[in-house]
Amino acid sequence: MTTAAQPAHTRILLKLSGEALMGDDAFGINRSTIERMVSEIAEVVGLGVQVAVVIGGGNIFRGVAGGAEGMDRATADYMGMLATVMNSLALADAMNRQGLTARVMSAIDIQQVVEPYVRPKALQYLEEGKVIVFAAGTGNPFFTTDTAAALRGAEIGAQVVLKATKVDGVYTADPMKDPTATRYAQLSFDEAMVRNLGIMDATAFALCRDQKLPIRVFSIARPGALKRVVMGEDEGTLVYA
């Protein structure tokens, strides 16, 4: 039985969008926002939870989106991967400043900046209590960071993928447009597919379903939400096999 002193999950993969780092800014990284997120991560690490993070690059790429218009898709995706490396470095730096030990591991080879992703090394870091930030997605164009989160989550044996968004779960309709929309407490993968809820891209969603890796969608903007999710409380929406 889960108690107040016993987390429901001991190893998690946290998926952050790049936009989550912007705060109220138009693009880039908002320092107070990233520091608040790191404080929430530090709180669950203090409970003994092993944490890995995959972060998107939309906040960085948004600043050059106009120049990328009409660009070859693969080239644009590689630019996006580099944006995730920038975000990962910023996040790891903020973690280290707050007393955590963070390691950035990249799916593309830029060893002068970050170390390459090597699964046994990642597992070792987690066992040592370090926080891993997986950068550069899967290392391949045409795959999103949602897919990277599902892939890395399966590889490291995470018990859940936590998708942090600006909305506190999955709703029957857009809660910003429909005040009668209600939040699902939980859904099966099949139910989410039938209702076309668009929780993750199709590749990521199928991978989680096939690996029986649950997804929890919650709002990173709600104070204490990450800890409540880790403790197994009714926060956000659980999608399960």
Side-chain angles (χ1 to χ4, degrees):
M1 178 181 293
T2 300
T3 68
Q6 179 183 343
H9 306 293
T10 56
R11 181 176 292 176
I12 63 173
L13 189 294
L14 176 62
K15 169 59 172 66
L16 292 171
S17 68
E19 288 81 357
L21 301 183
M22 297 190 313
D24 295 327
D25 298 339
F27 57 86
I29 298 169
N30 181 283
R31 175 53 55 182
S32 62
T33 298
I34 197 171
E35 288 176 351
R36 179 186 59 77
M37 288 183 183
V38 169
S39 294
E40 300 240 348
I41 293 170
E43 189 173 19
V44 300
V45 170
L47 297 172
V49 177
Q50 298 175 6
V51 180
V53 182
V54 169
I55 189 164
N59 59 316
I60 303 294
F61 200 75
R62 183 176 294 190
V64 297
E69 190 172 337
M71 184 179 290
D72 174 74
R73 168 65 188 275
T75 300
D77 281 358
Y78 281 119
M79 289 175 64
M81 290 178 212
L82 294 175
T84 72
V85 174
M86 295 171 67
N87 280 339
S88 297
L89 287 169
L91 185 63
D93 179 75
M95 289 180 183
N96 290 324
R97 288 174 181 270
Q98 289 200 34
L100 296 172
T101 302
R103 295 287 184 268
V104 179
M105 305 187 85
S106 173
I108 57 176
D109 188 12
I110 42 176
Q111 294 190 49
Q112 292 90 338
V113 182
V114 294
E115 61 184 289
Y117 168 67
V118 179
R119 180 175 177 269
K121 192 70 173 178
L123 294 172
Q124 177 186 330
Y125 285 156
L126 288 170
E127 294 291 345
E128 292 172 351
K130 298 180 174 69
V131 179
I132 307 172
V133 186
F134 293 122
T138 67
N140 302 286
F142 308 106
F143 291 93
T144 69
T145 49
D146 274 356
T147 299
L151 176 63
R152 297 291 182 245
E155 286 182 307
I156 66 171
Q159 294 164 316
V160 63
V161 171
L162 304 181
K163 182 168 183 180
T165 70
K166 294 182 178 180
V167 181
D168 64 335
V170 180
Y171 279 74
T172 54
D174 186 344
M176 303 299 290
K177 300 177 180 178
D178 184 353
T180 66
T182 57
R183 176 178 63 90
Y184 293 105
Q186 58 183 29
L187 285 161
S188 71
F189 281 101
D190 290 342
E191 287 173 326
M193 290 180 67
V194 168
R195 296 172 187 176
N196 195 29
L197 295 174
I199 293 166
M200 281 185 164
D201 73 75
T203 303
F205 197 78
L207 180 55
C208 287
R209 182 191 60 189
D210 293 346
Q211 296 301 313
K212 295 181 170 55
L213 178 59
I215 304 165
R216 172 79 70 170
V217 182
F218 74 106
S219 172
I220 195 64
R222 287 166 62 96
L226 179 59
K227 181 180 178 181
R228 290 192 294 274
V229 167
V230 166
M231 299 303 293
E233 298 181 24
D234 181 20
E235 183 76 29
T237 300
L238 175 67
V239 186
Y240 63 92

